[in-house]
Amino acid sequence: MVDTPKPEELIKNIDHTPPETPWEETVPDISPGNFCYPTKKKNLEYLSMPTTTVDEWSPADEEWPLPDNWQQIVHDGFKDLLGKYRSLKIFMDTCVRCGACADKCHFFIGTGDPKNMPVLRAELLRSVYRNDFTRVGKILKKIAGARPLTKEVIKEWFTYFYQCTECRRCSVYCPYGIDTAEVTMMARELLSLLGLNINWILEPAANCFRTGNHLGIQPHAFKEMIEFFCDDIEEITGKKIEPSFNRKGAEILFITPSGDAFADPGTYAMMGYIMLFEHIGLDYTLSTYASEGGNFGLFTSSEMMKRLNAKMYAEAKRLGVKWILGGECGHMWRVIHQYMDTMNGPVDFGEVPVNPITGTRFDNALSTRMVHITEFTADLIRHNKLKLDPGRNDMYKVTYHDSCNPARAMGLFDEPRHVLKAVCNQFYEMPENTIREQTFCCGSGSGLNTEEIMELRLRGGLPRANAVRYVHEKFGVNMLSCVCAIDRAALPPLMEYWVPEVDVCGVHELVGNALVMDGEIERTTNLRFEPLTDETEVEADV
């Protein structure tokens, strides 16, 4: 860990002046605070992935533990990826270096490092592609933008492809539709062939194989956590809730990221889910095996993504449910929406999801059998199936962060806003060029939510924080809502650093606050046990 400068000092240190040396000769800064810790060998072995030649090493080391034939391994792996994914070859061949993406990356804005421009980050991989796989590159070499694969290039890949959150904002502005996030995914897959991974990604992936969730929570502990939340709900509302676990024959399997069962403020969103399901009498069950909706395989390799995604569907099939309702998560929904059908689907069980309360058929989930919780709740609200008192959230002036994967990857823009406007009286949008498909990343996605690179995270999150500060100063916004577990982990320290007057919550925490449940007692606190003001106290119907 290194000391983090104060905000005013960090701002002064952002310099967008290009270095004097050509980019190919500019050595990346691989000093403490600028790299993620490499993964432990035990995690690689558990996942049956290639390992390094030593048990422990540091990116700050002069010599990295590469196998003797490392260049051939990368070359063969690159060739294999080009053969499997036509998109990768298109992305390697079509960039004209127009620069439309250059200033769209939050890491470039926050660091000033040219190699964090998406066009140049992709060039780190593209230059090796030209050298090894194109005729013009083999003949003209550097003149054609080609360069050989060296140990210095590997270090460069590790540095900058782990300074990309795969948010895909750059792809929105690319006239050719180049998806630099997928370039990053392929580069990380090549690094994985050499055992070069980061622990913040591989340990959660290994945990997910071992216990069914990223945090390594054992089945009994997961059950006890949910029951603990139910105790809190009973204290707040007087309603005793007893959710079921691993129940065969339930209509719906509910899966949410494990962070919602473990860490604030996600725990309050979990309480909101449980209260909502109890209120409408939903026939659902939770699984202690598939107790994780997130998918860190998205940050590792296509095969890892496929393996982690499969567990949810194996459990749904085992329990005999009709469909899956998914919680507020980011990468879970990109995997489901963009990759599911070609990896694990279309599914061979259940039915097209139908809301049992409203009768709405979710045809968008025809092949995945999976519905997003805000789609579900927005549908309930549109059909007037919920009794809500938005005044219970009057202590909050709320804005909404479009989490990158649900927003850009699956087009989930209106449903969360419909819910928020129904449960809050004071809702304000951030500037237009920072929301919806143009949303800025939290700065810590794709497995970068780790403490050793805190300054990089704060730099990467600066554009998001700047937009929040705007609505805080203009409208008095004091709550930032979102639908992503990583956001709920990454945004609190980001806000504390850049906009300390603003807190963070999930959408369904606010739903839980506003929900007037049948038979509940008069509420005196919200889900955080913060007192309601006289104006927001409500006497529920008995």
Side-chain angles (χ1 to χ4, degrees), residues 1 9 15 64 79 101 133 147 153 179 198 210 221 274 317 454 509 532:
M1 294 290 292
E9 296 172 354
D15 184 6
W64 287 19
K79 183 178 180 179
C101 65
F133 299 101
R147 61 175 181 164
V153 170
D179 189 344
I198 67 171
R210 185 166 53 252
I274 295 169
K317 194 170 183 178
M454 181 55 77
E509 175 184 342
L532 298 175

Side-chain angles (χ1 to χ4, degrees), residues 109-336:
I109 294 171
T111 66
D113 190 333
K115 291 181 184 178
N116 272 325
M117 294 190 294
V119 57
L120 191 45
R121 186 186 289 114
E123 197 70 17
L124 304 181
L125 192 67
R126 190 176 288 118
S127 57
V128 174
Y129 163 76
R130 291 197 188 100
N131 186 80
D132 288 10
F133 299 101
T134 69
R135 184 173 299 176
V136 67
K138 291 177 180 178
I139 296 173
L140 298 180
K141 300 295 183 183
K142 189 175 182 179
I143 297 174
R147 61 175 181 164
L149 182 64
T150 64
K151 292 182 178 179
E152 287 68 30
V153 170
I154 290 293
K155 291 182 178 181
E156 200 173 49
W157 284 7
F158 187 88
T159 300
Y160 291 102
F161 288 117
Y162 285 107
Q163 284 185 50
C164 170
T165 53
E166 301 178 14
C167 79
R168 299 176 68 244
R169 189 172 193 264
C170 53
S171 67
V172 172
Y173 298 90
C174 177
Y176 292 95
I178 295 172
D179 189 344
T180 307
E182 291 209 356
V183 175
T184 291
M185 291 162 63
M186 297 298 101
R188 289 186 180 185
E189 193 158 341
L190 293 176
L191 289 169
S192 293
L193 297 176
L194 303 176
L196 304 179
N197 312 84
I198 67 171
N199 202 59
W200 197 250
I201 292 176
L202 265 292
E203 185 161 314
N207 286 340
C208 208
F209 272 88
R210 185 166 53 252
T211 68
N213 59 74
H214 292 154
L215 299 173
I217 303 169
Q218 297 289 337
H220 65 280
F222 177 78
K223 181 175 181 290
E224 289 170 358
M225 287 178 181
I226 302 301
E227 291 171 343
F228 176 79
F229 299 149
C230 291
D231 290 340
D232 280 353
I233 292 170
E234 184 176 7
E235 183 175 348
I236 294 167
T237 69
K239 297 278 291 184
K240 185 172 182 61
I241 301 175
E242 297 179 346
S244 68
F245 298 87
N246 308 320
R247 177 166 60 89
K248 290 188 176 182
E251 182 174 1
I252 295 166
L253 172 62
F254 179 65
I255 302 178
T256 194
S258 56
D260 287 351
F262 181 76
D264 298 343
T267 54
Y268 307 121
M270 177 68 86
M271 292 169 68
Y273 305 145
I274 295 169
M275 293 166 67
L276 174 67
F277 301 157
E278 176 72 13
H279 180 61
I280 62 177
L282 191 68
D283 180 17
Y284 78 103
T285 192
L286 296 159
S287 170
T288 58
Y289 164 70
S291 53
E292 178 66 69
N295 192 324
F296 272 47
L298 179 64
F299 318 139
T300 309
S301 70
S302 299
E303 182 59 29
M304 186 66 63
M305 189 194 327
K306 177 179 179 179
R307 290 163 68 186
L308 292 180
N309 188 67
K311 75 180 185 307
M312 296 191 298
Y313 288 89
E315 181 69 343
K317 194 170 183 178
R318 184 184 75 85
L319 295 176
V321 301
K322 293 180 180 179
W323 53 280
I324 304 172
L325 182 60
E328 296 179 6
C329 182
H331 38 85
M332 168 170 73
W333 288 105
R334 185 176 182 196
V335 172
I336 295 299

Side-chain angles (χ1 to χ4, degrees), residues 73-86 88 133 186 189-190 193:
I73 291 173
V74 173
H75 179 87
D76 292 344
F78 208 155
K79 183 178 180 179
D80 180 58
L81 293 176
L82 289 167
K84 286 197 297 186
Y85 306 113
R86 184 173 59 179
L88 178 59
F133 299 101
M186 297 298 101
E189 193 158 341
L190 293 176
L193 297 176

Side-chain angles (χ1 to χ4, degrees), residues 262-454:
F262 181 76
D264 298 343
T267 54
Y268 307 121
M270 177 68 86
M271 292 169 68
Y273 305 145
I274 295 169
M275 293 166 67
L276 174 67
F277 301 157
E278 176 72 13
H279 180 61
I280 62 177
L282 191 68
D283 180 17
Y284 78 103
T285 192
L286 296 159
S287 170
T288 58
Y289 164 70
S291 53
E292 178 66 69
N295 192 324
F296 272 47
L298 179 64
F299 318 139
T300 309
S301 70
S302 299
E303 182 59 29
M304 186 66 63
M305 189 194 327
K306 177 179 179 179
R307 290 163 68 186
L308 292 180
N309 188 67
K311 75 180 185 307
M312 296 191 298
Y313 288 89
E315 181 69 343
K317 194 170 183 178
R318 184 184 75 85
L319 295 176
V321 301
K322 293 180 180 179
W323 53 280
I324 304 172
L325 182 60
E328 296 179 6
C329 182
H331 38 85
M332 168 170 73
W333 288 105
R334 185 176 182 196
V335 172
I336 295 299
H337 187 73
Q338 292 196 314
Y339 302 110
M340 162 69 191
D341 278 352
T342 54
M343 292 192 312
N344 306 107
V347 298
D348 59 353
F349 73 92
E351 302 174 3
V352 179
V354 174
N355 189 326
I357 311 302
T358 67
T360 298
R361 175 182 161 112
F362 295 99
D363 286 320
N364 59 309
L366 176 67
S367 62
T368 63
R369 303 285 195 268
M370 197 159 177
V371 174
H372 193 285
I373 185 67
T374 58
E375 294 179 278
F376 182 76
T377 304
D379 181 60
L380 293 170
I381 292 171
R382 288 190 185 103
H383 287 83
N384 297 313
K385 298 298 183 181
L386 302 181
K387 185 176 181 181
L388 300 168
D389 177 17
R392 289 177 177 168
N393 286 314
D394 276 354
M395 71 282 287
Y396 301 135
K397 293 185 178 181
V398 181
T399 192
Y400 178 67
H401 165 66
D402 287 278
S403 303
C404 298
N405 287 315
R408 269 191 289 270
M410 68 179 295
L412 193 75
F413 302 129
D414 296 325
E415 291 84 349
R417 288 173 168 82
H418 186 80
V419 174
L420 287 170
K421 290 174 183 179
V423 301
C424 302
N425 287 321
Q426 304 176 89
F427 175 77
Y428 304 92
E429 290 279 17
M430 286 182 275
E432 185 177 353
N433 64 340
T434 71
I435 60 173
R436 295 182 177 264
E437 66 273 9
Q438 299 181 73
T439 186
F440 273 112
C441 180
C442 66
S444 302
S446 80
L448 303 187
N449 185 23
T450 181
E451 298 298 310
E452 62 264 24
I453 58 165
M454 181 55 77

